[in-house]
Amino acid sequence: MTARNMTTMSGFLLMGFSDNHELQILQALLFLLTYLLGSAGNFIIITITTLDPQLQSPMYYFLKQLSTLDLSSLSVTVPQYVDSSLARSGYISYGQCMLQIFFFTGLAWSEMATLTVMSYDRYVAICLPLHYEVIMSPRKCTWAVAAVWLSGGISGMLFTASTLSIRFCGDKIIHQFFCDIPQLLKLSCSNDYFGVLKVSTFMAVMAFACFVGIAFSYGQIFSTVLRMPSAEGRSKVFSTCLPHLFVVSFFLSTSSCAYLKPTSDSPTALDLMLSIFYTLLLPALNPVIYSLRNESLKRALKKLLLSEEFIRKKCLFCF
């Protein structure tokens, strides 16, 4: 499909990373491989935190929610890009684009909110251990997760509703591998994109509030940890907190750089790499990051892989 034909069509042309078809196929296959590995990793985290009775604490409950969000986030952008790249079209319909905006923005905000709740959970566990069971009771954790998903749905609806009011004209070419809002704003015919800017500003303020909450939680955590007399206790705290702190830092830094820097007509390699980091690599690597220093997750995974039922099913699959 040529860019010239896109002027009269209702959909958009996702340019991705290259005009060369061979490179597009290679990129699509790499994306597909990352998607499959990331989906498998997140599915394993969801499975073991659901089935293992030793992983039923609030920390693992929230980790399961994060893996669910990551699995969903990967499924929003990658399959469509792989399909359009292999089909040599790059075309995405208007309806598909709006659905992608709804789910992508909703899941992105839900992930930010979940990371905030997870940092608060660690703060309570380390700084207020005597009150932990009361503050992080199962009922309150369920309400927290419900609030996260509800706020994500509201965020997605706000962004989608404001984007629907935009009139697009000219060559509807998006220099990304998914329907990215900053790229869509450049295609607006007039100043009817101010609704999106208002929503973006509001969500940026909310994200900053989450960042302040996370910073406060970890400030209190590190202050408490440094006063611990036991080196083993400090090591245990760091093994649960450092992966989460790394994920928060990586998520905020890459997404902030991607959305705060001005969009250009010819996106640089840095623009594309930033979008890959927070849309593809981080959701795919989260299972590895969280399980790397977590002995409980490693033991649960080993127990799952060595269980008789799993081995029996694997043998049946092989035959």
Side-chain angles (χ1 to χ4, degrees):
M1 183 175 296
T2 63
R4 184 170 54 254
N5 293 335
M6 295 304 299
T7 307
T8 57
M9 297 194 70
S10 61
F12 303 91
L13 181 65
L14 300 176
M15 291 298 290
F17 305 94
S18 173
D19 294 330
N20 185 290
H21 181 56
E22 286 72 21
L23 280 178
Q24 285 180 350
I25 292 178
L26 177 61
Q27 290 158 0
L29 293 176
L30 288 174
F31 269 54
L32 180 60
L33 177 62
T34 307
Y35 170 73
L36 293 175
L37 291 175
S39 298
N42 282 296
F43 184 75
I44 288 173
I45 293 290
I46 294 169
T47 302
I48 61 178
T49 52
T50 301
L51 299 179
D52 196 302
Q54 311 236 334
L55 301 180
Q56 301 305 311
S57 66
M59 181 178 78
Y60 295 109
Y61 177 64
F62 294 130
L63 179 58
K64 177 168 65 175
Q65 301 303 320
L66 184 67
S67 292
T68 304
L69 289 169
D70 286 335
L71 181 60
S72 304
S73 180
L74 284 169
S75 302
V76 167
T77 56
V78 178
Q80 204 284 329
Y81 170 71
V82 171
D83 179 64
S84 62
S85 294
L86 295 180
R88 303 186 65 175
S89 67
Y91 175 76
I92 182 170
S93 69
Y94 183 82
Q96 286 176 318
C97 187
M98 293 304 109
L99 279 174
Q100 210 171 67
I101 288 173
F102 171 76
F103 285 109
F104 181 77
T105 55
L107 291 169
W109 169 254
S110 295
E111 180 138 352
M112 183 70 209
T114 301
L115 291 172
T116 306
V117 173
M118 291 174 75
S119 67
Y120 179 71
D121 170 69
R122 291 298 82 208
Y123 160 71
V124 176
I126 295 165
C127 302
L128 304 170
L130 297 179
H131 304 282
Y132 183 73
E133 291 187 5
V134 175
I135 297 175
M136 304 304 295
S137 64
R139 178 175 181 153
K140 290 178 181 176
C141 290
T142 303
W143 277 106
V145 169
V148 164
W149 284 96
L150 180 62
S151 63
I154 293 172
S155 171
M157 285 190 289
L158 288 174
F159 273 110
T160 307
S162 56
T163 307
L164 284 169
S165 65
I166 298 177
R167 288 170 297 157
F168 301 103
C169 55
D171 291 336
K172 299 170 186 173
I173 299 174
I174 299 175
H175 294 279
Q176 262 293 2
F177 66 94
F178 65 100
C179 277
D180 195 22
I181 289 179
Q183 289 289 328
L184 285 172
L185 295 184
K186 291 169 53 182
L187 305 178
S188 172
C189 297
S190 59
N191 294 332
D192 49 8
Y193 58 81
F194 282 119
V196 178
L197 294 181
K198 291 177 183 177
V199 173
S200 300
T201 302
F202 172 72
M203 296 310 300
V205 171
M206 297 298 294
F208 181 73
C210 288
F211 169 74
V212 171
I214 292 170
F216 172 80
S217 296
Y218 274 101
Q220 295 297 311
I221 287 171
F222 289 134
S223 175
T224 303
V225 169
L226 293 175
R227 294 197 299 268
M228 285 183 176
S230 168
E232 184 180 351
R234 288 196 297 269
S235 176
K236 186 176 180 181
V237 170
F238 283 132
S239 69
T240 58
C241 291
L242 288 181
H244 180 255
L245 188 58
F246 175 79
V247 169
V248 170
S249 304
F250 196 75
F251 178 75
L252 287 177
S253 59
T254 54
S255 57
S256 298
C257 288
Y259 279 89
L260 292 179
K261 71 187 297 294
T263 56
S264 59
D265 293 329
S266 299
T268 63
L270 177 62
D271 297 327
L272 297 173
M273 287 305 297
L274 284 173
S275 64
I276 289 176
F277 277 137
Y278 72 86
T279 59
L280 180 66
L281 288 184
L282 186 58
L285 290 176
N286 268 350
V288 178
I289 295 170
Y290 277 103
S291 60
L292 202 58
R293 297 188 61 186
N294 193 307
E295 294 301 324
S296 298
L297 281 176
K298 289 180 184 177
R299 282 196 299 270
L301 178 59
K302 191 180 296 184
K303 187 164 65 174
L304 173 68
L305 296 177
L306 296 178
S307 65
E308 292 182 8
E309 185 178 353
F310 182 83
I311 294 173
R312 195 183 310 118
K313 287 182 179 179
K314 186 166 66 173
C315 292
L316 287 173
F317 178 76
C318 292
F319 288 104

mmCIF file of all heavy atoms in Angstrom, residues 23-58:
data_model
loop_
_atom_site.group_PDB
_atom_site.id
_atom_site.type_symbol
_atom_site.label_atom_id
_atom_site.label_comp_id
_atom_site.label_asym_id
_atom_site.label_seq_id
_atom_site.Cartn_x
_atom_site.Cartn_y
_atom_site.Cartn_z
ATOM 1 N N LEU A 23 14.167 -6.164 5.542
ATOM 2 C CA LEU A 23 14.380 -5.705 6.912
ATOM 3 C C LEU A 23 13.085 -5.738 7.723
ATOM 4 O O LEU A 23 13.098 -6.045 8.916
ATOM 5 C CB LEU A 23 14.958 -4.286 6.913
ATOM 6 C CG LEU A 23 16.463 -4.152 6.641
ATOM 7 C CD1 LEU A 23 16.866 -2.694 6.619
ATOM 8 C CD2 LEU A 23 17.259 -4.907 7.691
ATOM 9 N N GLN A 24 11.969 -5.418 7.069
ATOM 10 C CA GLN A 24 10.679 -5.465 7.756
ATOM 11 C C GLN A 24 10.364 -6.879 8.231
ATOM 12 O O GLN A 24 9.860 -7.072 9.351
ATOM 13 C CB GLN A 24 9.572 -4.967 6.820
ATOM 14 C CG GLN A 24 9.567 -3.460 6.619
ATOM 15 C CD GLN A 24 8.457 -3.025 5.685
ATOM 16 O OE1 GLN A 24 7.797 -3.852 5.048
ATOM 17 N NE2 GLN A 24 8.250 -1.718 5.584
ATOM 18 N N ILE A 25 10.640 -7.867 7.378
ATOM 19 C CA ILE A 25 10.391 -9.263 7.756
ATOM 20 C C ILE A 25 11.292 -9.662 8.927
ATOM 21 O O ILE A 25 10.843 -10.295 9.888
ATOM 22 C CB ILE A 25 10.621 -10.198 6.551
ATOM 23 C CG1 ILE A 25 9.544 -9.959 5.488
ATOM 24 C CG2 ILE A 25 10.616 -11.662 6.995
ATOM 25 C CD1 ILE A 25 9.706 -10.793 4.245
ATOM 26 N N LEU A 26 12.570 -9.268 8.870
ATOM 27 C CA LEU A 26 13.501 -9.584 9.952
ATOM 28 C C LEU A 26 13.036 -8.948 11.265
ATOM 29 O O LEU A 26 13.029 -9.601 12.325
ATOM 30 C CB LEU A 26 14.903 -9.094 9.593
ATOM 31 C CG LEU A 26 15.984 -9.279 10.671
ATOM 32 C CD1 LEU A 26 16.156 -10.764 10.995
ATOM 33 C CD2 LEU A 26 17.306 -8.668 10.217
ATOM 34 N N GLN A 27 12.637 -7.690 11.192
ATOM 35 C CA GLN A 27 12.156 -6.995 12.392
ATOM 36 C C GLN A 27 10.885 -7.641 12.935
ATOM 37 O O GLN A 27 10.719 -7.796 14.157
ATOM 38 C CB GLN A 27 11.915 -5.523 12.071
ATOM 39 C CG GLN A 27 13.184 -4.733 11.831
ATOM 40 C CD GLN A 27 12.960 -3.470 11.016
ATOM 41 O OE1 GLN A 27 11.833 -3.166 10.619
ATOM 42 N NE2 GLN A 27 14.024 -2.735 10.748
ATOM 43 N N ALA A 28 9.992 -8.023 12.007
ATOM 44 C CA ALA A 28 8.747 -8.661 12.432
ATOM 45 C C ALA A 28 9.028 -9.983 13.140
ATOM 46 O O ALA A 28 8.399 -10.305 14.162
ATOM 47 C CB ALA A 28 7.836 -8.887 11.227
ATOM 48 N N LEU A 29 9.985 -10.753 12.629
ATOM 49 C CA LEU A 29 10.329 -12.036 13.252
ATOM 50 C C LEU A 29 10.980 -11.828 14.620
ATOM 51 O O LEU A 29 10.711 -12.581 15.566
ATOM 52 C CB LEU A 29 11.261 -12.832 12.335
ATOM 53 C CG LEU A 29 10.626 -13.323 11.026
ATOM 54 C CD1 LEU A 29 11.654 -14.025 10.152
ATOM 55 C CD2 LEU A 29 9.447 -14.246 11.306
ATOM 56 N N LEU A 30 11.832 -10.804 14.737
ATOM 57 C CA LEU A 30 12.441 -10.496 16.034
ATOM 58 C C LEU A 30 11.377 -10.055 17.040
ATOM 59 O O LEU A 30 11.409 -10.445 18.208
ATOM 60 C CB LEU A 30 13.502 -9.402 15.872
ATOM 61 C CG LEU A 30 14.801 -9.815 15.175
ATOM 62 C CD1 LEU A 30 15.708 -8.604 14.959
ATOM 63 C CD2 LEU A 30 15.536 -10.883 15.987
ATOM 64 N N PHE A 31 10.440 -9.235 16.566
ATOM 65 C CA PHE A 31 9.327 -8.804 17.420
ATOM 66 C C PHE A 31 8.497 -10.012 17.862
ATOM 67 O O PHE A 31 8.091 -10.111 19.026
ATOM 68 C CB PHE A 31 8.437 -7.803 16.679
ATOM 69 C CG PHE A 31 8.832 -6.370 16.887
ATOM 70 C CD1 PHE A 31 10.129 -5.950 16.642
ATOM 71 C CD2 PHE A 31 7.907 -5.435 17.315
ATOM 72 C CE1 PHE A 31 10.498 -4.628 16.825
ATOM 73 C CE2 PHE A 31 8.264 -4.116 17.512
ATOM 74 C CZ PHE A 31 9.569 -3.712 17.262
ATOM 75 N N LEU A 32 8.242 -10.906 16.917
ATOM 76 C CA LEU A 32 7.433 -12.097 17.223
ATOM 77 C C LEU A 32 8.143 -12.978 18.248
ATOM 78 O O LEU A 32 7.504 -13.477 19.191
ATOM 79 C CB LEU A 32 7.175 -12.885 15.940
ATOM 80 C CG LEU A 32 6.337 -14.158 16.089
ATOM 81 C CD1 LEU A 32 4.955 -13.841 16.641
ATOM 82 C CD2 LEU A 32 6.216 -14.875 14.740
ATOM 83 N N LEU A 33 9.455 -13.162 18.080
ATOM 84 C CA LEU A 33 10.219 -13.972 19.021
ATOM 85 C C LEU A 33 10.189 -13.354 20.425
ATOM 86 O O LEU A 33 9.955 -14.055 21.421
ATOM 87 C CB LEU A 33 11.667 -14.111 18.538
ATOM 88 C CG LEU A 33 12.617 -14.890 19.458
ATOM 89 C CD1 LEU A 33 12.148 -16.330 19.612
ATOM 90 C CD2 LEU A 33 14.048 -14.840 18.911
ATOM 91 N N THR A 34 10.398 -12.035 20.494
ATOM 92 C CA THR A 34 10.354 -11.339 21.788
ATOM 93 C C THR A 34 8.970 -11.443 22.407
ATOM 94 O O THR A 34 8.825 -11.636 23.622
ATOM 95 C CB THR A 34 10.737 -9.857 21.607
ATOM 96 O OG1 THR A 34 11.992 -9.765 20.929
ATOM 97 C CG2 THR A 34 10.853 -9.161 22.956
ATOM 98 N N TYR A 35 7.943 -11.318 21.563
ATOM 99 C CA TYR A 35 6.558 -11.417 22.047
ATOM 100 C C TYR A 35 6.275 -12.791 22.638
ATOM 101 O O TYR A 35 5.688 -12.907 23.730
ATOM 102 C CB TYR A 35 5.604 -11.117 20.899
ATOM 103 C CG TYR A 35 4.155 -11.420 21.202
ATOM 104 C CD1 TYR A 35 3.421 -10.607 22.061
ATOM 105 C CD2 TYR A 35 3.524 -12.522 20.629
ATOM 106 C CE1 TYR A 35 2.102 -10.882 22.349
ATOM 107 C CE2 TYR A 35 2.201 -12.803 20.908
ATOM 108 C CZ TYR A 35 1.492 -11.981 21.768
ATOM 109 O OH TYR A 35 0.183 -12.265 22.045
ATOM 110 N N LEU A 36 6.700 -13.840 21.947
ATOM 111 C CA LEU A 36 6.449 -15.196 22.421
ATOM 112 C C LEU A 36 7.195 -15.480 23.719
ATOM 113 O O LEU A 36 6.635 -16.066 24.658
ATOM 114 C CB LEU A 36 6.850 -16.210 21.341
ATOM 115 C CG LEU A 36 6.006 -16.209 20.061
ATOM 116 C CD1 LEU A 36 6.584 -17.161 19.030
ATOM 117 C CD2 LEU A 36 4.556 -16.571 20.372
ATOM 118 N N LEU A 37 8.466 -15.051 23.795
ATOM 119 C CA LEU A 37 9.244 -15.269 25.012
ATOM 120 C C LEU A 37 8.671 -14.462 26.175
ATOM 121 O O LEU A 37 8.545 -14.971 27.301
ATOM 122 C CB LEU A 37 10.710 -14.875 24.768
ATOM 123 C CG LEU A 37 11.503 -15.777 23.819
ATOM 124 C CD1 LEU A 37 12.894 -15.198 23.571
ATOM 125 C CD2 LEU A 37 11.617 -17.192 24.368
ATOM 126 N N GLY A 38 8.320 -13.192 25.905
ATOM 127 C CA GLY A 38 7.744 -12.351 26.949
ATOM 128 C C GLY A 38 6.403 -12.869 27.429
ATOM 129 O O GLY A 38 6.116 -12.863 28.634
ATOM 130 N N SER A 39 5.576 -13.328 26.494
ATOM 131 C CA SER A 39 4.264 -13.862 26.860
ATOM 132 C C SER A 39 4.420 -15.136 27.693
ATOM 133 O O SER A 39 3.708 -15.329 28.690
ATOM 134 C CB SER A 39 3.444 -14.170 25.602
ATOM 135 O OG SER A 39 3.211 -12.990 24.860
ATOM 136 N N ALA A 40 5.365 -15.987 27.292
ATOM 137 C CA ALA A 40 5.601 -17.223 28.049
ATOM 138 C C ALA A 40 6.085 -16.902 29.464
ATOM 139 O O ALA A 40 5.615 -17.504 30.437
ATOM 140 C CB ALA A 40 6.628 -18.092 27.319
ATOM 141 N N GLY A 41 7.017 -15.943 29.573
ATOM 142 C CA GLY A 41 7.535 -15.576 30.887
ATOM 143 C C GLY A 41 6.461 -15.007 31.795
ATOM 144 O O GLY A 41 6.356 -15.389 32.977
ATOM 145 N N ASN A 42 5.644 -14.115 31.264
ATOM 146 C CA ASN A 42 4.569 -13.531 32.074
ATOM 147 C C ASN A 42 3.511 -14.562 32.435
ATOM 148 O O ASN A 42 2.966 -14.539 33.549
ATOM 149 C CB ASN A 42 3.930 -12.363 31.322
ATOM 150 C CG ASN A 42 4.768 -11.099 31.385
ATOM 151 O OD1 ASN A 42 4.978 -10.525 32.444
ATOM 152 N ND2 ASN A 42 5.271 -10.664 30.237
ATOM 153 N N PHE A 43 3.239 -15.469 31.512
ATOM 154 C CA PHE A 43 2.256 -16.527 31.794
ATOM 155 C C PHE A 43 2.763 -17.453 32.898
ATOM 156 O O PHE A 43 1.984 -17.899 33.750
ATOM 157 C CB PHE A 43 1.961 -17.326 30.524
ATOM 158 C CG PHE A 43 0.882 -18.365 30.707
ATOM 159 C CD1 PHE A 43 -0.448 -17.992 30.792
ATOM 160 C CD2 PHE A 43 1.212 -19.708 30.808
ATOM 161 C CE1 PHE A 43 -1.444 -18.955 30.976
ATOM 162 C CE2 PHE A 43 0.236 -20.667 30.989
ATOM 163 C CZ PHE A 43 -1.103 -20.290 31.071
ATOM 164 N N ILE A 44 4.068 -17.720 32.900
ATOM 165 C CA ILE A 44 4.647 -18.563 33.949
ATOM 166 C C ILE A 44 4.528 -17.877 35.311
ATOM 167 O O ILE A 44 4.175 -18.513 36.316
ATOM 168 C CB ILE A 44 6.126 -18.885 33.622
ATOM 169 C CG1 ILE A 44 6.197 -19.872 32.457
ATOM 170 C CG2 ILE A 44 6.833 -19.459 34.842
ATOM 171 C CD1 ILE A 44 7.598 -20.117 31.939
ATOM 172 N N ILE A 45 4.817 -16.563 35.349
ATOM 173 C CA ILE A 45 4.685 -15.817 36.603
ATOM 174 C C ILE A 45 3.240 -15.869 37.101
ATOM 175 O O ILE A 45 2.977 -16.100 38.295
ATOM 176 C CB ILE A 45 5.121 -14.347 36.412
ATOM 177 C CG1 ILE A 45 6.619 -14.256 36.138
ATOM 178 C CG2 ILE A 45 4.758 -13.515 37.644
ATOM 179 C CD1 ILE A 45 7.502 -14.580 37.299
ATOM 180 N N ILE A 46 2.279 -15.665 36.195
ATOM 181 C CA ILE A 46 0.862 -15.719 36.574
ATOM 182 C C ILE A 46 0.498 -17.102 37.106
ATOM 183 O O ILE A 46 -0.208 -17.238 38.114
ATOM 184 C CB ILE A 46 -0.029 -15.360 35.364
ATOM 185 C CG1 ILE A 46 0.189 -13.896 34.951
ATOM 186 C CG2 ILE A 46 -1.503 -15.596 35.676
ATOM 187 C CD1 ILE A 46 -0.443 -13.530 33.631
ATOM 188 N N THR A 47 1.022 -18.145 36.455
ATOM 189 C CA THR A 47 0.696 -19.518 36.841
ATOM 190 C C THR A 47 1.238 -19.871 38.217
ATOM 191 O O THR A 47 0.513 -20.373 39.079
ATOM 192 C CB THR A 47 1.251 -20.511 35.798
ATOM 193 O OG1 THR A 47 0.700 -20.203 34.509
ATOM 194 C CG2 THR A 47 0.880 -21.941 36.166
ATOM 195 N N ILE A 48 2.526 -19.594 38.445
ATOM 196 C CA ILE A 48 3.123 -20.028 39.718
ATOM 197 C C ILE A 48 2.626 -19.173 40.893
ATOM 198 O O ILE A 48 2.495 -19.677 42.008
ATOM 199 C CB ILE A 48 4.668 -20.016 39.657
ATOM 200 C CG1 ILE A 48 5.212 -18.606 39.371
ATOM 201 C CG2 ILE A 48 5.172 -20.999 38.632
ATOM 202 C CD1 ILE A 48 6.741 -18.550 39.355
ATOM 203 N N THR A 49 2.326 -17.894 40.658
ATOM 204 C CA THR A 49 1.795 -17.068 41.758
ATOM 205 C C THR A 49 0.334 -17.393 42.049
ATOM 206 O O THR A 49 -0.192 -17.012 43.094
ATOM 207 C CB THR A 49 1.923 -15.566 41.431
ATOM 208 O OG1 THR A 49 1.356 -15.302 40.141
ATOM 209 C CG2 THR A 49 3.373 -15.131 41.446
ATOM 210 N N THR A 50 -0.317 -18.098 41.131
ATOM 211 C CA THR A 50 -1.698 -18.536 41.358
ATOM 212 C C THR A 50 -1.747 -19.903 42.039
ATOM 213 O O THR A 50 -2.540 -20.121 42.959
ATOM 214 C CB THR A 50 -2.469 -18.600 40.027
ATOM 215 O OG1 THR A 50 -2.468 -17.312 39.410
ATOM 216 C CG2 THR A 50 -3.911 -19.049 40.252
ATOM 217 N N LEU A 51 -0.869 -20.815 41.601
ATOM 218 C CA LEU A 51 -0.942 -22.195 42.066
ATOM 219 C C LEU A 51 -0.118 -22.469 43.314
ATOM 220 O O LEU A 51 -0.506 -23.307 44.133
ATOM 221 C CB LEU A 51 -0.489 -23.149 40.943
ATOM 222 C CG LEU A 51 -1.315 -23.126 39.661
ATOM 223 C CD1 LEU A 51 -0.735 -24.104 38.646
ATOM 224 C CD2 LEU A 51 -2.771 -23.464 39.942
ATOM 225 N N ASP A 52 1.013 -21.794 43.470
ATOM 226 C CA ASP A 52 1.897 -22.097 44.595
ATOM 227 C C ASP A 52 1.353 -21.485 45.883
ATOM 228 O O ASP A 52 1.205 -20.265 45.979
ATOM 229 C CB ASP A 52 3.311 -21.565 44.323
ATOM 230 C CG ASP A 52 4.341 -22.188 45.252
ATOM 231 O OD1 ASP A 52 4.178 -22.045 46.479
ATOM 232 O OD2 ASP A 52 5.285 -22.819 44.755
ATOM 233 N N PRO A 53 1.069 -22.288 46.899
ATOM 234 C CA PRO A 53 0.511 -21.752 48.153
ATOM 235 C C PRO A 53 1.483 -20.858 48.916
ATOM 236 O O PRO A 53 1.070 -20.058 49.748
ATOM 237 C CB PRO A 53 0.178 -23.018 48.963
ATOM 238 C CG PRO A 53 0.914 -24.123 48.314
ATOM 239 C CD PRO A 53 1.172 -23.746 46.909
ATOM 240 N N GLN A 54 2.792 -20.976 48.630
ATOM 241 C CA GLN A 54 3.789 -20.143 49.325
ATOM 242 C C GLN A 54 3.908 -18.750 48.699
ATOM 243 O O GLN A 54 4.617 -17.893 49.232
ATOM 244 C CB GLN A 54 5.161 -20.826 49.256
ATOM 245 C CG GLN A 54 5.113 -22.272 49.658
ATOM 246 C CD GLN A 54 6.081 -22.592 50.794
ATOM 247 O OE1 GLN A 54 7.070 -21.935 50.971
ATOM 248 N NE2 GLN A 54 5.730 -23.590 51.568
ATOM 249 N N LEU A 55 3.257 -18.547 47.570
ATOM 250 C CA LEU A 55 3.353 -17.247 46.881
ATOM 251 C C LEU A 55 1.984 -16.546 46.879
ATOM 252 O O LEU A 55 1.525 -16.053 45.853
ATOM 253 C CB LEU A 55 3.836 -17.437 45.439
ATOM 254 C CG LEU A 55 5.199 -18.105 45.260
ATOM 255 C CD1 LEU A 55 5.546 -18.237 43.785
ATOM 256 C CD2 LEU A 55 6.297 -17.334 45.990
ATOM 257 N N GLN A 56 1.360 -16.518 48.038
ATOM 258 C CA GLN A 56 0.032 -15.915 48.142
ATOM 259 C C GLN A 56 0.036 -14.612 48.939
ATOM 260 O O GLN A 56 -1.012 -14.124 49.343
ATOM 261 C CB GLN A 56 -0.944 -16.907 48.783
ATOM 262 C CG GLN A 56 -1.086 -18.210 48.012
ATOM 263 C CD GLN A 56 -1.477 -18.009 46.552
ATOM 264 O OE1 GLN A 56 -2.420 -17.272 46.259
ATOM 265 N NE2 GLN A 56 -0.751 -18.629 45.640
ATOM 266 N N SER A 57 1.221 -14.055 49.168
ATOM 267 C CA SER A 57 1.313 -12.775 49.887
ATOM 268 C C SER A 57 0.923 -11.633 48.953
ATOM 269 O O SER A 57 0.904 -11.797 47.717
ATOM 270 C CB SER A 57 2.733 -12.569 50.413
ATOM 271 O OG SER A 57 3.636 -12.411 49.330
ATOM 272 N N PRO A 58 0.616 -10.454 49.488
ATOM 273 C CA PRO A 58 0.257 -9.310 48.637
ATOM 274 C C PRO A 58 1.310 -8.978 47.592
ATOM 275 O O PRO A 58 0.976 -8.577 46.476
ATOM 276 C CB PRO A 58 0.097 -8.169 49.646
ATOM 277 C CG PRO A 58 -0.335 -8.841 50.897
ATOM 278 C CD PRO A 58 0.407 -10.144 50.926
#
